[in-house]
Amino acid sequence: MEGEPVNVNEFQELARQALPKMYYDYYSGGAEDQYTLKENVEAFRRITFRPRILVDVSRINLSTTVLGYKISAPIMVVPSAMHKLAHPEGETATARAAAASNTIMVLSSVSSCTIEEVASSCNAIRFFQLYVYKNRDVATQLVQSAERNGYKAIVLTVDAPMLGRREADIKNKMILPPLKNIEGLVSTEVNNLLLLLTESNFLQCVGALDASLCWRDIGWLRSITNLPILIKGILTREDAIKATEVGVAGIVVSNHGARQLDYTPATITVLEEVVHAVGGKVPVFLDGGVRRGTDVFKALALGAQAVLIGRPVVYGLAAKGEYGVRKVIHMLKDELELTMALSGCPSVKDITRSHVRTEHEKIHSML
């Protein structure tokens, strides 16, 4: 590939060239047969537009709000692990890029920069993603540290009671570097957890996650923080209803980037199911497979308040550092702006369900 990338997909090849195979495989791979990995992207392609014409689109406003915080576009940065495997500056570079783009980054609890380092790297609104380990004290200390350092929400990942089977990582004998957010936590159990996660085979860290985590534990999490709690990893109507019942502040429709259970549906195909179940009680977000501004528009039309992007951010970081992440976000914003203009939508709130046609509707119309 010559010259500057012209779309987000081209950053993937640049990342492949820049990274050791083990790290590229770690970021790019999915679970088992990788069916869901492919479907997350392909499912967007089966949704088509119903553009409206002769609408004044001389001014396009991409901005929206998330939990009351205004962002420049409905595109946020998903929590993803170990950014220093992609670039020496790690999550601090990603955070600066998100801040420069006036959007929200969700920091992973398994980041390679600490909660404090990211907080001090730039001034921005950011959220913190939480895994719950068997030792609940770890979660308590992480949440309190995030709150103390100005993070504005907790994003609880709920689809990982065990780690998915990622066969490329098994073949590569992938080993995680030290988990910076857990270093320095004092208990013996915590230190044992750190040892387990850093010195053994990557997939053996499954033993550290709390497989007993269940709905009643949302109450426990609410008892240790004043921050709003979003649940990430919901794919069904039933779980969306339960989430609203336990009082979460938002839902992220996610299949963990297709890294957990293979043959789960593409997130865009179940977004409407979750949106309808929630009935406007809380905002619904989506991650998984977003590679174009057209994908962002489709997710908004089907009811998402915003999308979160993961692999494109890491590919941009690997290829060109902070500038690469900024470029990825900028490309998606530019494409979204164009899609809105050509669909007759001067602002995000003008994007409606009537602007898209899903595969199900196409089949139904032929019957």
Side-chain angles (χ1 to χ4, degrees):
M1 189 193 311
E2 294 185 11
E4 280 279 298
V6 297
N7 60 55
V8 166
N9 287 312
E10 291 184 357
F11 273 102
Q12 182 168 355
E13 175 57 24
L14 293 178
R16 190 188 66 77
Q17 294 169 13
L19 291 173
K21 183 178 184 299
M22 178 186 288
Y23 296 164
Y24 175 76
D25 288 352
Y26 168 68
Y27 287 129
S28 65
E32 296 186 351
D33 298 326
Q34 303 193 120
Y35 167 82
T36 300
L37 183 68
K38 299 181 189 79
E39 267 294 289
N40 268 354
V41 173
E42 290 296 323
F44 276 105
R45 297 178 180 174
R46 296 193 289 269
I47 300 168
T48 53
F49 293 126
R50 302 181 69 251
R52 305 304 300 273
I53 59 167
L54 293 175
V55 177
D56 180 358
V57 289
S58 56
R59 290 201 181 111
I60 301 288
N61 181 5
L62 299 180
S63 68
T64 191
T65 58
V66 171
L67 301 188
Y69 300 107
K70 189 172 181 180
I71 56 176
S72 64
I75 301 164
M76 301 158 61
V77 176
V78 88
S80 54
M82 297 292 158
H83 285 199
K84 279 193 177 179
L85 300 183
H87 188 274
E89 293 180 29
E91 287 82 3
T92 57
T94 308
R96 289 195 303 268
S101 305
N102 190 17
T103 194
I104 293 168
M105 171 189 179
V106 187
L107 180 69
S108 171
S109 58
V110 286
S111 58
S112 44
C113 296
T114 64
I115 290 168
E116 294 80 8
E117 286 169 341
V118 173
S120 62
S121 67
C122 55
N123 186 27
I125 302 297
R126 62 182 64 86
F127 299 166
F128 180 73
Q129 176 270 336
L130 179 69
Y131 284 115
V132 176
Y133 300 107
K134 286 179 178 175
N135 183 335
R136 293 286 176 93
D137 289 343
V138 177
T140 300
Q141 291 185 61
L142 289 174
V143 166
Q144 289 172 350
S145 177
E147 193 163 356
R148 197 166 54 245
N149 283 278
Y151 292 71
K152 301 301 184 186
I154 300 298
V155 179
L156 176 67
T157 296
V158 294
D159 59 4
M162 298 181 179
L163 207 63
R165 183 177 172 83
R166 303 163 196 175
E167 293 177 0
D169 295 335
I170 296 170
K171 287 178 183 173
N172 291 332
K173 297 183 169 55
M174 176 73 184
I175 294 177
L176 282 175
L179 299 182
K180 291 293 185 179
N181 285 319
I182 296 172
E183 281 184 328
L185 298 186
V186 290
S187 91
T188 307
E189 259 184 276
V190 171
N191 289 332
N192 289 342
L193 167 64
L194 181 64
L195 191 70
L196 175 67
L197 286 166
T198 56
E199 292 187 6
S200 62
N201 181 281
F202 177 64
L203 291 185
Q204 289 174 349
C205 77
V206 61
L209 298 170
D210 188 352
S212 77
L213 190 72
C214 59
W215 286 107
R216 68 174 175 269
D217 293 315
I218 305 301
W220 159 76
L221 183 55
R222 291 176 72 185
S223 76
I224 64 169
T225 182
N226 294 314
L227 297 178
I229 296 163
L230 290 80
I231 285 189
K232 176 179 176 289
I234 284 180
L235 293 170
T236 65
R237 173 182 178 277
E238 295 87 343
D239 284 343
I241 291 169
K242 285 195 173 191
T244 60
E245 289 172 351
V246 299
V248 302
I251 288 170
V252 184
V253 176
S254 173
N255 53 35
H256 212 108
R259 295 164 75 79
Q260 281 297 99
L261 178 62
D262 202 12
Y263 297 94
T264 53
T267 48
I268 193 65
T269 67
V270 295
L271 173 60
E272 264 196 302
E273 176 183 329
V274 171
V275 168
H276 288 159
V278 166
K281 293 187 183 78
V282 296
V284 177
F285 307 94
L286 172 137
D287 71 48
V290 175
R291 299 294 184 272
R292 286 279 189 183
T294 49
D295 298 337
V296 181
F297 185 101
K298 291 169 184 179
L300 298 179
L302 293 174
Q305 184 157 345
V307 303
L308 295 94
I309 52 171
R311 287 184 179 89
V313 163
V314 173
Y315 296 151
L317 182 66
K320 294 177 180 286
E322 179 187 337
Y323 168 80
V325 179
R326 289 171 65 167
K327 188 75 172 168
V328 162
I329 297 170
H330 183 70
M331 283 175 167
L332 291 173
K333 286 167 71 170
D334 277 355
E335 290 175 0
L336 175 60
E337 183 177 19
L338 180 61
T339 306
M340 288 169 63
L342 296 179
S343 297
C345 299
S347 73
V348 167
K349 70 177 186 299
D350 295 313
I351 302 171
T352 68
R353 182 61 179 82
S354 68
H355 285 98
V356 295
R357 182 181 282 115
T358 64
E359 185 181 31
H360 172 73
E361 288 169 307
K362 291 177 213 167
I363 292 169
H364 189 71
S365 67
M366 288 188 279
L367 296 177

